[in-house]
């Protein structure tokens, strides 16, 4: 039974809860965001637990509903001995385990709605529940751990999360940083939680269950700006399959939980199988740009890329990439060196990726919508000397390169700059005129299939995003 109170929490109780949360959320926080089907809809800087939280996408305007088989529903209720809270613990344990499969991390943070324990409780909307699945654990072990963690979270839920965020950033030495993304998925049981209370929580997904008589139904709310319907339908099937699996074998190892049916496994194995050329094995020694050049030779005049009113054939796209790549080589790009791409997604972004590969480098994509502090950190951490951009981005973000302290020595604008163009950037700037007259034939020089292709930065749960090569 959870403790209840009708009085405001005392100073000593708040201090105790602060220590609890700092202990729970110390160290490297796990990534919580699922890989989305669509990019560009993220809205960094919001924070879960208050009225605006989470990752982005924001408006969850679509839903996928599902229902457990009657026998499975009754088995879950019987295992929980009729307790709604125990049913929630079981369902939460299954979903948390499934999320570790999606993120490929054994530790996780999932959002749980606040539990109404008394009229005087502060109104935190949702709280982060952190757990870890140890290799070799049975589902029963996960169930017991989730139950203990959930009770602890609810016993310490009166601590205001805004203060928690400030304390977390005091630990890592941040100065007025963006709020951390502590969780990106909320799991609730409508029999004990208020779905309306978390309706405005801007996490990517809300997974809601409801017990109706002897049946259990589920619903996944999502934003179609982030996910395709098929992705969420597959997630729903995995939830159902996982619940069925643990009901039949609750003491089996976590690794044996069958989130995929045989047909789904065969389909995924087929998707993940490497393509085999008709002449034999996959050409492992060829680079991405070399394989592209083979296609250019085969279909030079077929459309290769379309963006708005712009259409490029394979020959045209290849020629543009060759000119930019040749210019990067003239600037002194070294084999395997990182090159930043700081611009909006368009057809020139594709040319930039191919050009960097052709010149022997690896690209680092940087979204111009990121906060300036994050961009400065990425520029310095990646140690890029060259940044490819466009006129609009350079005009609005030129102050990023005000003192050259991030190591950038050359900005290459992939468009022609107007004569009256001004920017706060203090480093050398060149535009399309610097490379548009260079030879458009394929480059020679250092290319190897073992060179890195790109470096992507994580969402940065602790305020320090990491580059994954």
């Amino acid at each position: 039974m959870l403790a209840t109170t009708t009085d405001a929490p005392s100073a000593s109780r708040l201090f105790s809860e602060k220590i609890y949360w700092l202990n729970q959320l110390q160290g490297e926080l796990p990534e919580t965001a699922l890989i989305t089907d669509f990019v560009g809809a993220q809205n960094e800087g919001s924070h879960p637990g208050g009225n605006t939280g989470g990752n982005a996408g924001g408006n969850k305007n679509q839903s996928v509903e599902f229902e457990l088989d009657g026998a499975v529903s009754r088995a879950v209720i019987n295992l929980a001995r009729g307790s709604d809270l125990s049913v929630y613990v079981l369902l939460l344990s299954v979903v948390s385990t499934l999320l570790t499969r999606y993120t490929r991390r054994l530790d996780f943070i999932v959002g749980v709605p606040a539990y109404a324990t008394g009229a005087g409780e502060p109104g935190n909307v949702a709280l982060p529940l952190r757990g870890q699945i140890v290799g070799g654990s049975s589902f029963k072990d996960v169930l017991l751990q989730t139950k203990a963690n959930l009770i602890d979270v609810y016993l310490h839920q009166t601590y205001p999360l805004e203060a928690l965020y400030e304390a977390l950033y005091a630990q890592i030495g941040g100065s007025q940083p963006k709020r951390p993304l502590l969780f990106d998925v909320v799991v609730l049981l409508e029999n004990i939680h208020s779905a309306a209370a978390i309706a405005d929580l801007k996490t990517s997904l809300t997974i809601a269950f409801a017990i109706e008589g002897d049946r259990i139904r589920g619903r996944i709310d999502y934003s179609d700006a982030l996910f395709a319907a098929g992705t969420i339908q597959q997630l729903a099937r995995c939830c159902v399959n996982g619940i069925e699996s643990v009901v039949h074998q609750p003491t089996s190892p976590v690794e044996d939980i069958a989130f995929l049916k045989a047909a789904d496994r065969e389909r995924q194995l087929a998707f993940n199988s490497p393509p085999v050329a008709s002449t034999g094995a996959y050409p492992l020694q060829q680079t991405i740009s070399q394989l592209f050049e083979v296609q250019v030779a085969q279909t030079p005049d077929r459309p290769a890329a379309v963006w708005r009113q712009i259409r490029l054939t394979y020959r045209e796209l290849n020629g543009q990439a060759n000119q930019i790549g040749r210019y990067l080589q003239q600037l002194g790009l070294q084999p395997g060196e990182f090159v930043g791409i700081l611009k909006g997604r368009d057809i020139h972004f594709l040319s930039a990726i191919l050009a960097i590969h052709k010149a022997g480098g690896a690209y680092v994509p940087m979204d111009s919508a990121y906060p300036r502090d994050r961009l400065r950190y990425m520029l310095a951490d990646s140690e890029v000397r060259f940044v490819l951009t466009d006129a609009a981005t350079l005009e609005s973000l030129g102050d990023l390169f005000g003192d050259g302290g991030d190591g950038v020595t050359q900005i290459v604008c992939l468009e022609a700059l107007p004569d009256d163009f001004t920017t706060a950037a203090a480093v050398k700037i060149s535009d399309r005129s610097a490379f548009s007259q260079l030879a458009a034939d394929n480059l020679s020089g250092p290319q190897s299939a073992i060179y890195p292709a790109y470096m992507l930065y994580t969402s940065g749960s602790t305020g320090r995003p990491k580059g994954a090569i």
Side-chain angles (χ1 to χ4, degrees), residues 247-266:
V247 162
H248 293 135
Q249 294 180 307
T251 60
S252 62
V254 173
E255 292 83 357
D256 293 343
I257 298 177
F259 288 109
L260 292 176
K261 298 288 189 183
D264 289 325
R265 285 198 298 271
E266 291 176 4

Side-chain angles (χ1 to χ4, degrees), residues 12-24:
S12 61
R13 180 179 173 186
L14 285 177
F15 179 76
S16 175
E17 293 191 358
K18 175 180 179 180
I19 297 302
Y20 165 80
W21 284 114
L22 290 179
N23 287 335
Q24 284 294 303

Side-chain angles (χ1 to χ4, degrees), residues 31-36 42 48 53-57 60 99 109-111 181-186 201-206 226-227:
E31 291 299 323
T32 63
L34 303 185
I35 296 176
T36 60
Q42 278 75 8
N55 189 22
K60 291 184 282 292
L99 293 179
I109 298 180
V110 64
L181 175 60
L182 294 183
F183 55 84
D184 201 38
V185 178
V186 178
L201 198 66
K202 293 186 175 64
T203 50
S204 292
L205 297 173
T206 296
L226 293 178
F227 296 102

Side-chain angles (χ1 to χ4, degrees), residues 185-444:
V185 178
V186 178
V187 182
L188 68 104
L189 180 64
E190 293 183 354
N191 302 72
I192 59 175
H193 300 127
S194 170
I198 64 166
D200 294 330
L201 198 66
K202 293 186 175 64
T203 50
S204 292
L205 297 173
T206 296
I207 303 178
F209 293 94
I211 306 171
E212 300 177 4
D214 62 350
R215 303 301 289 263
I216 297 178
R217 292 182 170 84
R219 186 186 72 254
I220 303 178
D221 299 328
Y222 69 100
S223 168
D224 58 9
L226 293 178
F227 296 102
T231 299
I232 305 303
Q233 291 164 359
Q234 176 64 40
L235 178 63
R237 288 196 296 271
C238 287
C239 287
V240 172
N241 295 340
I243 295 168
E244 291 179 355
S245 180
V246 303
V247 162
H248 293 135
Q249 294 180 307
T251 60
S252 62
V254 173
E255 292 83 357
D256 293 343
I257 298 177
F259 288 109
L260 292 176
K261 298 288 189 183
D264 289 325
R265 285 198 298 271
E266 291 176 4
R267 189 179 300 111
Q268 285 210 352
L269 288 172
F271 287 156
N272 292 333
S273 297
V276 178
S278 59
T279 56
Y282 186 86
L284 296 175
Q285 301 306 312
Q286 288 185 279
T287 66
I288 294 172
S289 57
Q290 289 169 340
L291 292 171
F292 178 74
E293 289 165 3
V294 170
Q295 185 65 42
V296 172
Q298 293 173 350
T299 58
D301 298 317
R302 288 187 180 177
V306 178
W307 182 75
R308 295 182 179 176
Q309 303 303 313
I310 302 175
R311 300 173 65 90
L312 292 181
T313 65
Y314 278 94
R315 190 200 316 272
E316 292 169 334
L317 179 59
N318 190 54
Q320 285 189 10
N322 286 332
Q323 290 177 323
I324 300 169
R326 186 164 275 110
Y327 183 58
L328 289 173
Q329 286 184 340
Q330 291 180 3
L331 292 175
L333 181 69
Q334 299 300 306
E337 184 177 357
F338 293 113
V339 179
I341 306 179
L342 177 56
K343 64 183 307 300
R345 266 57 170 175
D346 58 14
I347 212 160
H348 297 305
F349 198 98
L350 181 57
S351 300
I353 291 175
L354 286 169
I356 293 168
H357 283 162
K358 284 171 172 286
Y363 70 93
V364 184
M366 303 177 185
D367 195 325
S368 58
Y370 285 163
R372 276 173 165 72
D373 287 346
R374 179 183 172 99
L375 288 173
R376 289 190 181 95
Y377 172 80
M378 292 172 67
L379 288 169
D381 185 68
S382 62
E383 298 182 345
V384 296
R385 293 189 296 151
F386 313 118
V387 174
L388 307 185
T389 186
D390 53 34
T393 303
L394 185 55
E395 185 175 16
S396 62
L397 297 177
D399 59 307
L400 285 173
F401 314 98
D403 55 9
D406 47 41
V408 176
T409 61
Q410 178 85 35
I411 300 173
V412 180
C413 181
L414 300 179
E415 304 168 339
L417 292 173
D419 294 336
D420 59 350
F421 180 82
T422 59
T423 176
V427 300
K428 186 176 180 181
I429 300 173
S430 53
D431 69 356
R432 182 175 179 80
S433 63
F435 57 82
S436 60
Q437 301 303 314
L438 297 179
D441 55 323
N442 291 331
L443 277 69
S444 59

